[in-house]
Amino acid sequence: MAATGCSGKSMPGSVSVSQQKLQEMVSSRFPRQFPVAGLLHLNLSAPQLAMVPERNAINAQIPAELTGKVLKEKYNGLLNVDFSLRYEPTDRTLRAYQIKVNSLTMDGLAPALSDMLATYSTALAEQAMGQVVLYQLQDKELALVEAMAMEPGAITVTQQGLTVQLLQKTPQDAKR
């Protein structure tokens, strides 16, 4: 602490990540393709993220395309999900979890196929977004934090992006 006091630098209390940075990172993880009941393929494009600070969540609107040998044509639609974030210390990443499907709609799809797709929507959303890395904390962001035996804590969704609180490590964590 004396070193930071002498240098005139104050200890950071948080790390901020912009919505744009989150959007860039998640977009790099798509497109993705998922089999549905062994007969169909759901192709998901890069989601459009929206911050939902009142629920401390992020909303993702994911363009979808349904294809398969049993279909005469391809169908376009949208998967709408909300999710929270968690910090993964092994690789310093912020990852999606607690995924909630709001809707999965496919334009022009027969009702029976729509019902079948709805049955699989939660599993598909968890495959698509579950554990997706939204951001990886950089060495420069964590260098001083680690030197001061601190670690990321609560993740708060704001209108502009995320704020990751920095907390003092417990003595047993600091020994690791």
Side-chain angles (χ1 to χ4, degrees):
M1 294 218 189
T4 58
C6 293
S7 68
K9 292 184 180 179
S10 62
M11 190 63 193
S14 64
V15 173
S16 295
V17 183
S18 71
Q19 180 176 347
Q20 179 181 349
K21 189 62 115 172
L22 293 171
Q23 185 68 55
E24 289 169 6
M25 180 67 93
V26 78
S27 293
S28 72
R29 308 285 187 208
F30 287 82
R32 300 180 80 176
Q33 186 180 76
F34 302 94
V36 180
L39 301 170
L40 305 171
H41 290 282
L42 186 66
N43 305 307
L44 300 176
S45 299
Q48 184 62 46
L49 301 180
M51 304 298 108
V52 189
E54 58 274 12
R55 289 196 316 260
N56 201 37
I58 297 177
N59 175 263
Q61 300 273 343
I62 310 169
E65 179 184 87
L66 188 65
T67 61
K69 294 177 184 174
V70 297
L71 298 175
K72 294 178 182 157
E73 60 186 287
K74 64 182 175 184
Y75 295 89
N76 294 310
L78 196 64
L79 175 61
N80 180 319
V81 299
D82 288 338
F83 58 90
S84 297
L85 293 168
R86 69 175 188 82
Y87 177 68
E88 176 53 52
T90 58
D91 60 2
R92 301 175 174 173
T93 56
L94 301 180
R95 295 174 177 262
Y97 87 118
Q98 294 181 335
I99 297 152
K100 177 186 172 275
V101 175
N102 298 319
S103 64
L104 174 57
T105 56
M106 302 303 290
D107 300 331
L109 193 62
L113 277 175
S114 287
D115 290 347
M116 182 190 81
L117 202 54
T119 301
Y120 290 98
S121 65
T122 298
L124 291 168
E126 287 178 358
Q127 285 181 5
M129 292 302 294
Q131 301 301 317
V132 164
V133 172
L134 274 88
Y135 187 72
Q136 185 165 27
L137 295 170
Q138 305 300 309
D139 288 339
K140 65 181 179 183
E141 292 170 318
L142 291 176
L144 181 60
V145 172
E146 287 181 355
M148 301 304 291
M150 296 185 83
E151 63 187 351
I155 301 168
T156 305
V157 176
T158 68
Q159 286 295 341
Q160 296 74 35
L162 303 175
T163 300
V164 181
Q165 291 302 118
L166 301 174
L167 306 171
Q168 196 72 41
K169 285 185 181 181
T170 59
Q172 66 199 67
D173 289 340
K175 292 176 186 174
R176 285 190 231 172

